[in-house]
């Protein structure tokens, strides 16, 4: 699939070869043509988009345009967008019109981007296939029988299908990186605290992070530059200066040390995915990087620890959905308890309810120490594994997922099989480190991704390695 | 360990989720037990002397000056409510 990158479109807008209104209309046409088969959009904001596009063209005529002015994008439906339906993929918020903009939405609006719509996602960001949405599954543009991955499935499919050059996503256990891998695009989950979570509907507050999805690392760098930065409205936002991501993209990889975790190349890894990953290693070596084997001995505990911590946090965050102040409310509640139970029972899907129950269980009296407290200690062990390795290497590399995209319906009856696709990604969320996935080839005609993991706040290094890789390969095209 | 149907009922009540009907509750019990079995691996790990990690960064709660910065947006927010009147949220009768 050859579609223009954000960087290419930005040049065309600058040169006047195309206007934002023309570009936006083209995107809207593509949505109309493709959404029935892919189902990647929940809401299409046609009038708003054309208004924003016109304003962008006006700014350009006044000489006030920047890199992102007039670029059409879409936001994952987890971000509050003022005056526009924000559903989080759930019946619970089917009637919710957000009263304010999430910080990343405000920032991208201020940078001149044009919002064409809100993308489909696994309900409340819980899922790895985008089959848990109230609005139906999203299809993988590379193979309509395959899942696009999740939970940012709609956002990834929209970029992979060439509908928009870029979208926003969120990642709690792999939800940017895994669907980016399955859809053959590039996505980055920044370090925890790098991007504001204000206005991003919370799933697991100590794990959630927002990030960009696009064809290339260069495109992601351009978006992350705007998305990142301290926000006083998010008490977990880190007050650290944001480096110039674009400036460091072209640095040579000579001298860069990359670690290959032994545990990421073990049982469960599809042999063709391993082959593609080792080929990526060869390419990076030819660009000057050196490799060594490293160890992440607690990798096997990352899914169990994640599936204690994340559900626990989600059970707390989703307590606010009670049919009283916003969202779904059941008909004719008999009493307050009935109001809560039936609103929540009818408003939430099965996977969400499952996770709330697991979360409530691990936090409940008699089990808190054995499960939740224990999981927090395991979390520290997992973080330490990474900390120790970053004393020896600059970046860690491995496959993003153990297999290429699976078929729609293949894992829906087995929650554990679904959870296992997060094996290489969720440890990074537990540690709060930045992680990037870039296209690394195809297996059975379905894309696979290579993951790069960095030390805290070293997104620039990851984007640099990915960009250099993409100068030497064609998988992202 | 396995979770009994009674335990699921208790947990569902804590989470203010409805108790599924009998046919669904066995499937749910099955799913939950398999998940618990999967996460049990962490209970077998030796974590003696390890500090729990609630948060990826060693952050302190941020404080700010005790000055009003937010606008009163009650009118626009109450419009989102399924049932409201005179600036109040309506719920079924709670007090006899």
């Amino acid at each position: 699939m050859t579609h223009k990158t954000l960087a290419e479109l930005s040049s065309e807008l600058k040169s006047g070869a195309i206007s934002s209104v023309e570009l936006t209309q083209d995107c809207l046409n593509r949505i109309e043509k493709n959404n029935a088969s892919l189902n990647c959009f929940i809401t299409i904001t046609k009038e708003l988009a054309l208004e924003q596009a016109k304003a962008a063209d006006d700014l350009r005529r006044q000489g006030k345009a920047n890199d992102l002015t007039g670029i059409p994008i879409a936001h994952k439906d987890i971000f509050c967008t003022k005056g526009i339906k924000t559903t989080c993929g759930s019946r619970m918020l089917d009637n919710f019109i957000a009263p304010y903009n999430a910080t990343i939405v405000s920032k991208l609006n201020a940078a001149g981007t044009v919002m064409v719509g809100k993308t489909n996602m696994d309900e409340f960001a819980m899922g790895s296939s985008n089959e848990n949405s109230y609005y139906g599954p999203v299809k993988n543009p590379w193979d309509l029988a395959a899942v696009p991955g999740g939970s940012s499935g709609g956002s990834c499919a929209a970029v992979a299908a060439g509908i928009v050059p870029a979208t926003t996503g969120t990642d709690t256990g792999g939800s940017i990186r895994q669907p980016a891998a399955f859809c053959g695009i590039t996505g980055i989950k920044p370090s925890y605290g790098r991007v504001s979570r204000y206005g991003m509907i919370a799933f697991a507050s100590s794990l959630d992070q927002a990030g960009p999805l696009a064809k290339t690392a260069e495109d992601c760098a351009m978006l992350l530059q705007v998305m990142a930065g301290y926000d006083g409205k998010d008490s977990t936002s880190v007050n650290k200066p944001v480096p110039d991501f674009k400036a460091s993209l072209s640095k040579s990889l000579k001298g860069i040390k990359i670690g290959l975790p032994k545990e990421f190349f073990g049982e469960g890894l599809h042999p063709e995915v391993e082959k593609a990953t080792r080929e990526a290693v060869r390419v990076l070596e030819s660009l000057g990087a050196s490799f060594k084997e490293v160890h992440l001995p607690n990798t096997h505990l990352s899914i169990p620890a994640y599936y204690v911590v994340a559900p626990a946090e989600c059970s707390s965050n989703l307590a606010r959905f009670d049919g009283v102040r916003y969202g779904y409310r059941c008909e004719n509640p008999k009493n307050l308890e009935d109001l809560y139970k039936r609103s929540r029972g009818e408003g939430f899907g099965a996977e969400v309810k499952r996770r709330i129950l697991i979360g409530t269980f691990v936090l409940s009296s008699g089990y808190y120490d054995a499960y939740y407290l224990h999981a927090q200690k395991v979390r520290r062990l997992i973080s330490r594994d990474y900390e120790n390795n970053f004393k020896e290497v600059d970046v860690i590399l491995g496959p993003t997922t153990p297999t290429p995209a699976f078929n729609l319906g293949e894992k829906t009856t087995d929650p554990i099989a679904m959870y296992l696709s997060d094996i290489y990604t969720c440890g990074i969320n537990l540690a709060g480190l930045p992680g990037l996935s870039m296209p690394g080839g195809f297996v059975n005609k379905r894309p696979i991704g290579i993951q790069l993991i960095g030390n805290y706040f070293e997104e620039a290094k990851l984007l640099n390695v990915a960009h250099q890789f993409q100068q030497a390969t064609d998988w992202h095209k | 360990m396995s979770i009994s149907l009674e335990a699921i009922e208790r947990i569902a009540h804590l989470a203010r989720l409805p108790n599924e009907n009998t046919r669904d509750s066995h499937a749910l019990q099955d799913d939950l037990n398999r998940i618990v079995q999967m996460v049990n691996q962490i209970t077998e790990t030796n974590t003696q002397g390890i500090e729990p990690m609630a948060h990826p960064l060693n952050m302190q709660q941020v404080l700010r000056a005790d000055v009003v910065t937010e606008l009163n947006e009650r009118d626009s927010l109450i419009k989102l409510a399924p049932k409201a009147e005179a600036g109040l949220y309506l719920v079924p009768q709670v007090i006899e």
Side-chain angles (χ1 to χ4, degrees), chain A residues 251-441:
Chain A
K251 267 171 71 178
S252 157
L253 298 190
K254 283 201 171 51
I256 250 206
K257 292 188 280 253
I258 304 185
L260 294 174
K262 175 163 171 267
E263 294 78 7
F264 282 16
F265 290 87
E267 196 193 312
L269 178 59
H270 190 296
E272 293 293 311
V273 176
E274 176 168 358
K275 201 166 146 204
T277 310
R278 297 216 182 268
E279 175 57 29
V281 168
R282 203 196 52 77
V283 170
L284 289 165
E285 261 172 341
S286 73
L287 294 173
S290 63
F291 283 84
K292 68 180 269 201
E293 189 182 73
V294 295
H295 295 279
L296 293 168
N298 292 294
T299 298
H300 65 291
L301 296 174
S302 45
I303 293 193
Y306 176 81
Y307 279 98
V308 169
V309 171
E313 294 189 8
C314 105
S315 71
S316 173
N317 279 325
L318 270 63
R320 69 194 67 185
F321 299 107
D322 55 14
V324 178
R325 290 158 300 156
Y326 42 74
Y328 181 84
R329 182 185 182 109
C330 64
E331 295 282 317
N332 305 316
K334 296 194 288 285
N335 52 48
L336 196 61
E337 184 175 310
D338 188 44
L339 170 68
Y340 293 156
K341 288 186 173 179
R342 275 200 298 124
S343 298
R344 291 162 65 78
E346 291 163 20
F348 290 139
E351 181 61 30
V352 169
K353 285 188 276 200
R354 224 175 348 242
R355 297 205 193 185
I356 292 174
L357 290 169
I358 291 287
T360 308
F361 168 66
V362 303
L363 290 173
S364 64
S365 165
Y367 298 106
Y368 179 94
D369 285 357
Y371 289 103
Y372 187 66
L373 197 59
H374 218 103
Q376 289 191 316
K377 295 181 181 185
V378 168
R379 184 176 186 171
R380 194 172 290 287
L381 290 176
I382 291 169
S383 291
R384 276 193 195 164
D385 283 356
Y386 281 102
E387 230 177 276
N388 291 334
N389 283 310
F390 284 122
K391 294 178 185 149
E392 317 275 315
V393 298
D394 300 305
V395 168
I396 289 172
L397 181 151
T400 306
T401 58
T403 65
F406 39 90
N407 290 331
L408 287 155
E410 191 179 316
K411 302 196 185 201
T412 44
T413 50
D414 187 354
I416 307 260
M418 189 71 85
Y419 298 164
L420 290 173
S421 57
D422 291 340
I423 179 77
Y424 305 132
T425 51
C426 66
I428 287 87
N429 298 82
L430 288 168
L433 296 166
L436 178 150
S437 179
M438 58 190 186

Side-chain angles (χ1 to χ4, degrees), chain A residues 150-334:
Chain A
S151 60
S152 310
S155 282
C156 290
V159 172
I163 295 174
V164 271
T167 52
T168 55
T170 64
D171 190 315
T172 303
S175 293
I176 282 177
R177 295 161 287 153
Q178 184 252 35
F182 283 2
C183 288
I185 66 167
T186 307
I188 180 167
K189 179 203 86 71
S191 311
Y192 186 85
R194 181 61 103 181
V195 175
S196 172
R197 293 183 302 108
Y198 180 77
M200 184 174 127
I201 295 169
F203 160 15
S205 307
S206 80
L207 303 169
D208 293 345
Q209 260 300 275
L213 289 155
K215 292 268 184 187
T216 66
E218 183 183 15
D219 289 355
C220 287
M222 290 168 74
L223 285 158
L224 188 61
Q225 197 69 55
V226 171
M227 292 170 77
Y230 176 66
D231 180 15
K233 293 193 218 150
D234 172 0
S235 66
T236 61
S237 172
V238 166
N239 200 352
K240 254 182 134 64
V242 181
D244 184 340
F245 296 124
K246 214 172 156 188
S248 49
L249 289 176
S250 47
K251 267 171 71 178
S252 157
L253 298 190
K254 283 201 171 51
I256 250 206
K257 292 188 280 253
I258 304 185
L260 294 174
K262 175 163 171 267
E263 294 78 7
F264 282 16
F265 290 87
E267 196 193 312
L269 178 59
H270 190 296
E272 293 293 311
V273 176
E274 176 168 358
K275 201 166 146 204
T277 310
R278 297 216 182 268
E279 175 57 29
V281 168
R282 203 196 52 77
V283 170
L284 289 165
E285 261 172 341
S286 73
L287 294 173
S290 63
F291 283 84
K292 68 180 269 201
E293 189 182 73
V294 295
H295 295 279
L296 293 168
N298 292 294
T299 298
H300 65 291
L301 296 174
S302 45
I303 293 193
Y306 176 81
Y307 279 98
V308 169
V309 171
E313 294 189 8
C314 105
S315 71
S316 173
N317 279 325
L318 270 63
R320 69 194 67 185
F321 299 107
D322 55 14
V324 178
R325 290 158 300 156
Y326 42 74
Y328 181 84
R329 182 185 182 109
C330 64
E331 295 282 317
N332 305 316
K334 296 194 288 285

Side-chain angles (χ1 to χ4, degrees), chain A residues 96-97 99 192-193 206 230 235-238 300-301 303-305 307-308 313 323-327 329 333-337 339-341 344-345 348 353-354 356-358 360-361 364 367 370-371 373-381 383-384 413-416 419 430-432 456-457, chain B residues 1-3 7-20 27-28 31-62 64 70 73 76-83 89-94:
Chain A
F96 179 67
I97 309 289
Y192 186 85
S206 80
Y230 176 66
S235 66
T236 61
S237 172
V238 166
H300 65 291
L301 296 174
I303 293 193
Y307 279 98
V308 169
E313 294 189 8
V324 178
R325 290 158 300 156
Y326 42 74
R329 182 185 182 109
K334 296 194 288 285
N335 52 48
L336 196 61
E337 184 175 310
L339 170 68
Y340 293 156
K341 288 186 173 179
R344 291 162 65 78
F348 290 139
K353 285 188 276 200
R354 224 175 348 242
I356 292 174
L357 290 169
I358 291 287
T360 308
F361 168 66
S364 64
Y367 298 106
Y371 289 103
L373 197 59
H374 218 103
Q376 289 191 316
K377 295 181 181 185
V378 168
R379 184 176 186 171
R380 194 172 290 287
L381 290 176
S383 291
R384 276 193 195 164
T413 50
D414 187 354
I416 307 260
Y419 298 164
L430 288 168
Y456 296 106
F457 305 107
Chain B
M1 71 140 304
S2 72
I3 316 184
I8 294 178
E9 210 177 298
R10 189 177 53 86
I11 296 163
H13 178 66
L14 285 173
R16 295 302 185 267
L17 287 173
N19 221 19
E20 311 284 277
L28 178 63
D31 277 343
L32 294 180
N33 273 322
R34 291 180 59 231
I35 297 171
V36 170
Q37 204 173 44
M38 188 264 288
V39 304
N40 270 337
Q41 287 174 75
I42 60 160
T43 61
E44 290 146 24
T45 312
N46 181 4
T47 54
Q48 205 167 34
I50 306 290
E51 276 294 298
M53 182 180 177
H55 200 271
L57 310 165
N58 280 327
M59 296 178 81
Q60 301 274 9
Q61 175 60 54
V62 181
R64 64 177 178 90
E70 298 299 311
E73 294 182 88
S76 66
L77 295 177
I78 207 140
K79 282 202 186 103
L80 300 172
K83 271 195 154 88
Y89 294 111
L90 298 184
V91 294
Q93 187 173 4
V94 179

Side-chain angles (χ1 to χ4, degrees), chain A residues 128-157:
Chain A
S128 307
S129 65
N130 220 130
E131 292 173 291
N132 292 332
S133 169
Y134 176 61
Y135 301 93
V138 174
K139 312 272 176 72
N140 190 320
W142 289 95
D143 181 345
L144 297 179
V147 300
S151 60
S152 310
S155 282
C156 290

